[in-house]
Amino acid sequence: MTTTITLVQGDITHQSADAIVNAANSSLLGGGGVDGAIHRRGGPEILAECRALRASRYGRGLPTGQAVATTAGRLDARWVIHTVGPVHQGPGSDPEPLASCYRESLRVADELGARTVAFPAISTGVYRWPMDDAARIAVETVRNTPTAVDEVRFVLFDDRAYEAFARRLG
C-alpha cells in the first residue's frame, strides 16, 4: 500500500485526522506557534496527559527527534503526536534530527493504528529551519518511511510554506 501525501494551506487545529502532529517543545507543556495553538484548541486534557508523561517517562522532557502520543482533547482527531524538532544552527546543520521527527511520528501513528496523519512544517517557526530545506527533508522522509498510514497531510500555515512543499511534491 502506498501512502498518499496531500497538502493543505490553513490551521492544523482545524483538521480532521486520526492523529495531528504537534511541533512541541521538549517540556511538552505548551508554548508558542503550532504547539500553543494545539494546546489552546485541544483543551486541558492534552496538557494533563503531557504533565503525566513528564512525571513518568520524560522527567527531563521529550528528546529532540522523538515522538509520543496523547489524547487530542477537543481537536477533531483521536490523538496528538508530539515531536520535538531541532533548532537550526546555520549552514551545515544536521538534517537527521528533523527527519527523525517525521519517522518517529509515523512509527507512533502505526502503533496507534492511525490511518490519517496531519503534520505541520516542523522546526520552521522559532526553530528557524529554512523552509525549502525543511520541505525537502519532510517529503523525502515521509516518502521513504515504511508505514501503514494511508494519508499524510502536510498542513501549511502560509503561502510560502505551501509553495515550498508543493515544489518538493512536484
Side-chain angles (χ1 to χ4, degrees), residues 95-140:
E96 178 50 32
L98 183 53
S100 180
C101 290
Y102 292 97
R103 275 195 308 275
E104 287 296 302
S105 294
L106 289 172
R107 179 190 60 76
V108 170
D110 284 341
E111 288 176 359
L112 296 168
R115 293 293 175 250
T116 55
V117 178
F119 279 99
I122 297 167
S123 285
T124 60
V126 297
Y127 287 9
R128 303 182 315 274
W129 206 280
M131 188 62 71
D132 286 332
D133 195 41
R136 177 189 62 78
I137 293 164
V139 170
E140 286 177 4

Coordinates of all heavy atoms in Angstrom, one line a residue, residues 95-140:
P95 N 20.5 17.3 9.2 CA 19.1 17.1 9.0 C 18.5 15.9 9.7 O 17.3 15.8 9.7 CB 19.1 17.0 7.4 CG 20.4 16.4 7.1 CD 21.4 17.0 8.1
E96 N 19.4 15.0 10.2 CA 18.9 13.8 10.8 C 17.8 14.0 11.9 O 16.8 13.3 11.9 CB 20.0 12.9 11.2 CG 19.6 11.6 11.9 CD 18.6 10.8 11.1 OE1 18.6 10.8 9.8 OE2 17.7 10.1 11.7
P97 N 18.1 14.9 12.9 CA 17.1 15.0 13.9 C 15.7 15.5 13.4 O 14.7 15.1 13.9 CB 17.7 16.1 14.9 CG 19.1 16.0 14.6 CD 19.3 15.7 13.2
L98 N 15.7 16.3 12.3 CA 14.4 16.7 11.7 C 13.8 15.5 11.0 O 12.6 15.3 11.2 CB 14.6 17.9 10.8 CG 13.4 18.5 10.1 CD1 12.3 18.9 11.2 CD2 13.7 19.7 9.3
A99 N 14.5 14.8 10.3 CA 14.0 13.6 9.6 C 13.4 12.6 10.6 O 12.4 12.0 10.5 CB 15.1 12.9 8.8
S100 N 14.1 12.5 11.8 CA 13.7 11.6 12.8 C 12.3 12.0 13.4 O 11.5 11.1 13.7 CB 14.7 11.6 14.0 OG 14.3 10.7 15.0
C101 N 12.0 13.3 13.4 CA 10.7 13.7 13.9 C 9.6 13.1 13.0 O 8.6 12.6 13.6 CB 10.6 15.2 13.8 SG 11.6 16.1 15.0
Y102 N 9.8 13.1 11.7 CA 8.8 12.5 10.8 C 8.7 11.0 10.9 O 7.6 10.4 11.0 CB 9.0 13.0 9.4 CG 8.8 14.5 9.2 CD1 9.8 15.4 9.3 CD2 7.5 14.9 9.0 CE1 9.6 16.7 9.1 CE2 7.2 16.3 8.9 CZ 8.3 17.2 9.0 OH 8.0 18.5 8.8
R103 N 9.9 10.3 10.9 CA 9.9 8.9 11.1 C 9.3 8.4 12.4 O 8.5 7.5 12.4 CB 11.4 8.4 11.0 CG 11.9 8.2 9.6 CD 13.2 7.3 9.6 NE 14.2 7.8 10.5 CZ 15.0 8.8 10.2 NH1 15.0 9.3 9.0 NH2 15.9 9.2 11.1
E104 N 9.7 9.1 13.5 CA 9.2 8.7 14.8 C 7.7 8.9 14.9 O 7.0 8.1 15.5 CB 10.0 9.3 15.9 CG 11.4 8.8 16.1 CD 11.3 7.3 16.5 OE1 10.7 7.0 17.6 OE2 11.9 6.5 15.8
S105 N 7.2 10.0 14.3 CA 5.8 10.3 14.4 C 5.0 9.3 13.6 O 3.9 8.8 14.1 CB 5.5 11.7 13.8 OG 6.1 12.7 14.7
L106 N 5.5 8.8 12.5 CA 4.9 7.8 11.7 C 4.9 6.4 12.5 O 4.0 5.7 12.4 CB 5.5 7.6 10.3 CG 5.2 8.8 9.4 CD1 6.0 8.7 8.1 CD2 3.7 8.9 9.0
R107 N 6.0 6.2 13.1 CA 6.1 4.9 14.0 C 5.0 4.9 15.0 O 4.3 4.0 15.2 CB 7.5 4.8 14.6 CG 7.7 3.6 15.5 CD 9.0 3.6 16.2 NE 9.1 4.7 17.2 CZ 8.4 4.8 18.3 NH1 7.6 3.9 18.7 NH2 8.6 5.9 19.1
V108 N 4.9 6.1 15.7 CA 3.9 6.2 16.8 C 2.5 6.0 16.1 O 1.6 5.3 16.7 CB 4.0 7.5 17.6 CG1 2.8 7.7 18.5 CG2 5.3 7.5 18.4
A109 N 2.2 6.7 15.0 CA 1.0 6.6 14.3 C 0.6 5.1 14.0 O -0.5 4.7 14.2 CB 1.0 7.4 13.0
D110 N 1.6 4.4 13.5 CA 1.4 2.9 13.2 C 1.1 2.2 14.5 O 0.2 1.3 14.5 CB 2.7 2.3 12.6 CG 2.8 2.7 11.1 OD1 1.8 3.2 10.5 OD2 3.9 2.6 10.6
E111 N 1.8 2.5 15.6 CA 1.5 1.8 16.9 C 0.0 2.0 17.3 O -0.6 1.2 17.9 CB 2.4 2.2 18.0 CG 3.8 1.7 17.8 CD 4.8 2.2 18.8 OE1 4.4 3.0 19.7 OE2 6.0 1.8 18.8
L112 N -0.5 3.3 17.0 CA -1.8 3.6 17.4 C -2.9 3.1 16.5 O -4.1 3.1 16.8 CB -1.9 5.2 17.5 CG -1.1 5.9 18.5 CD1 -1.1 7.4 18.3 CD2 -1.6 5.6 19.9
G113 N -2.5 2.8 15.3 CA -3.4 2.4 14.2 C -4.0 3.5 13.5 O -5.0 3.4 12.8
A114 N -3.3 4.7 13.5 CA -3.8 5.9 12.8 C -3.7 5.7 11.3 O -2.6 5.2 10.8 CB -3.0 7.1 13.2
R115 N -4.7 6.1 10.5 CA -4.6 6.0 9.1 C -4.4 7.3 8.4 O -4.0 7.4 7.3 CB -5.9 5.3 8.6 CG -6.0 3.8 9.0 CD -4.9 3.0 8.3 NE -4.9 1.6 8.7 CZ -4.0 1.1 9.5 NH1 -2.9 1.8 9.9 NH2 -4.0 -0.1 9.8
T116 N -4.8 8.4 9.1 CA -4.6 9.8 8.5 C -3.8 10.6 9.6 O -4.2 10.6 10.8 CB -5.9 10.5 8.2 OG1 -6.7 10.5 9.4 CG2 -6.7 9.8 7.1
V117 N -2.7 11.2 9.1 CA -1.9 12.0 10.0 C -1.6 13.4 9.4 O -1.2 13.4 8.2 CB -0.5 11.3 10.2 CG1 0.4 12.1 11.1 CG2 -0.7 9.9 10.8
A118 N -1.9 14.4 10.2 CA -1.7 15.8 9.7 C -0.4 16.3 10.4 O -0.3 16.3 11.6 CB -2.9 16.6 10.1
F119 N 0.6 16.7 9.6 CA 1.8 17.3 10.0 C 1.9 18.8 9.8 O 1.5 19.2 8.7 CB 3.0 16.7 9.2 CG 3.5 15.3 9.7 CD1 3.1 14.2 9.0 CD2 4.4 15.2 10.7 CE1 3.5 12.9 9.3 CE2 4.9 13.9 11.1 CZ 4.4 12.8 10.4
P120 N 2.5 19.5 10.7 CA 2.9 20.9 10.3 C 4.3 20.9 9.7 O 4.9 19.8 9.6 CB 3.0 21.6 11.7 CG 3.5 20.5 12.6 CD 2.8 19.2 12.1
A121 N 4.8 22.0 9.4 CA 6.2 22.1 8.9 C 7.1 22.3 10.1 O 7.3 23.4 10.6 CB 6.4 23.3 7.9
I122 N 7.5 21.1 10.6 CA 8.3 21.1 11.9 C 9.6 21.9 11.8 O 10.3 21.8 10.8 CB 8.5 19.6 12.3 CG1 7.2 18.9 12.5 CG2 9.4 19.5 13.5 CD1 7.4 17.3 12.5
S123 N 9.8 22.6 12.9 CA 11.1 23.4 13.1 C 11.2 24.6 12.2 O 12.3 25.3 12.2 CB 12.3 22.5 12.9 OG 12.5 21.7 14.1
T124 N 10.2 25.0 11.5 CA 10.3 26.2 10.6 C 9.9 27.5 11.2 O 10.1 28.5 10.6 CB 9.5 26.0 9.3 OG1 8.1 25.8 9.6 CG2 10.0 24.7 8.5
G125 N 9.4 27.5 12.4 CA 9.0 28.7 13.0 C 10.2 29.3 13.9 O 11.2 29.6 13.3
V126 N 10.0 29.3 15.2 CA 11.0 29.9 16.0 C 12.3 29.1 16.0 O 13.3 29.6 16.4 CB 10.5 30.1 17.5 CG1 9.4 31.2 17.5 CG2 10.1 28.8 18.1
Y127 N 12.2 27.8 15.5 CA 13.4 27.0 15.5 C 14.3 27.2 14.2 O 15.3 26.7 14.0 CB 13.1 25.5 15.6 CG 12.7 25.1 17.0 CD1 12.5 26.1 18.0 CD2 12.5 23.8 17.3 CE1 12.1 25.7 19.3 CE2 12.1 23.4 18.6 CZ 12.0 24.3 19.6 OH 11.6 24.0 20.9
R128 N 13.7 28.1 13.3 CA 14.4 28.7 12.2 C 15.0 27.8 11.1 O 15.9 28.1 10.4 CB 15.6 29.6 12.7 CG 15.3 30.7 13.7 CD 16.5 31.5 14.1 NE 17.7 30.7 14.5 CZ 17.9 30.1 15.7 NH1 17.1 30.3 16.7 NH2 19.0 29.4 15.9
W129 N 14.4 26.6 11.0 CA 14.9 25.7 9.9 C 14.4 26.3 8.6 O 13.2 26.7 8.4 CB 14.3 24.3 10.0 CG 15.2 23.3 9.4 CD1 15.3 23.1 8.0 CD2 16.3 22.6 10.0 NE1 16.4 22.2 7.8 CE2 16.9 21.9 9.0 CE3 16.7 22.4 11.3 CZ2 18.0 21.0 9.2 CZ3 17.7 21.6 11.6 CH2 18.4 20.9 10.6
P130 N 15.3 26.5 7.6 CA 14.9 27.1 6.3 C 13.8 26.3 5.6 O 13.9 25.1 5.5 CB 16.2 27.1 5.5 CG 17.3 27.0 6.5 CD 16.7 26.2 7.6
M131 N 12.7 27.0 5.2 CA 11.5 26.3 4.7 C 11.8 25.4 3.6 O 11.3 24.2 3.6 CB 10.5 27.4 4.3 CG 9.1 26.8 3.9 SD 8.3 25.9 5.3 CE 7.9 27.3 6.3
D132 N 12.6 25.8 2.6 CA 12.9 24.9 1.4 C 13.5 23.6 1.9 O 13.2 22.5 1.4 CB 13.7 25.6 0.3 CG 12.9 26.6 -0.4 OD1 11.6 26.4 -0.5 OD2 13.5 27.6 -0.9
D133 N 14.5 23.7 2.8 CA 15.2 22.5 3.3 C 14.3 21.7 4.1 O 14.3 20.4 4.0 CB 16.5 23.0 4.0 CG 17.5 21.8 4.2 OD1 17.7 21.0 3.3 OD2 18.0 21.7 5.4
A134 N 13.5 22.3 5.0 CA 12.6 21.6 5.8 C 11.6 20.8 5.0 O 11.2 19.7 5.3 CB 11.8 22.5 6.8
A135 N 11.1 21.4 3.9 CA 10.1 20.7 3.0 C 10.8 19.5 2.3 O 10.2 18.5 2.2 CB 9.6 21.7 1.9
R136 N 12.0 19.7 1.9 CA 12.8 18.6 1.3 C 12.9 17.4 2.2 O 12.6 16.3 1.9 CB 14.1 19.0 0.8 CG 15.0 17.9 0.2 CD 16.5 18.4 0.0 NE 17.2 18.8 1.2 CZ 17.7 17.9 2.1 NH1 17.6 16.6 1.9 NH2 18.3 18.4 3.2
I137 N 13.3 17.7 3.5 CA 13.5 16.7 4.5 C 12.2 16.0 4.8 O 12.1 14.8 4.9 CB 14.2 17.3 5.7 CG1 15.6 17.8 5.4 CG2 14.2 16.3 6.9 CD1 16.2 18.7 6.4
A138 N 11.2 16.8 5.0 CA 9.8 16.2 5.3 C 9.3 15.3 4.3 O 8.9 14.2 4.5 CB 8.9 17.4 5.6
V139 N 9.3 15.8 3.0 CA 8.7 15.0 1.9 C 9.5 13.7 1.7 O 9.0 12.6 1.5 CB 8.5 15.9 0.7 CG1 8.2 15.0 -0.5 CG2 7.5 17.0 0.9
E140 N 10.9 13.9 1.6 CA 11.7 12.7 1.4 C 11.6 11.7 2.5 O 11.5 10.5 2.2 CB 13.2 13.1 1.2 CG 13.5 13.8 -0.1 CD 15.0 14.3 -0.1 OE1 15.8 14.0 0.8 OE2 15.3 14.9 -1.1

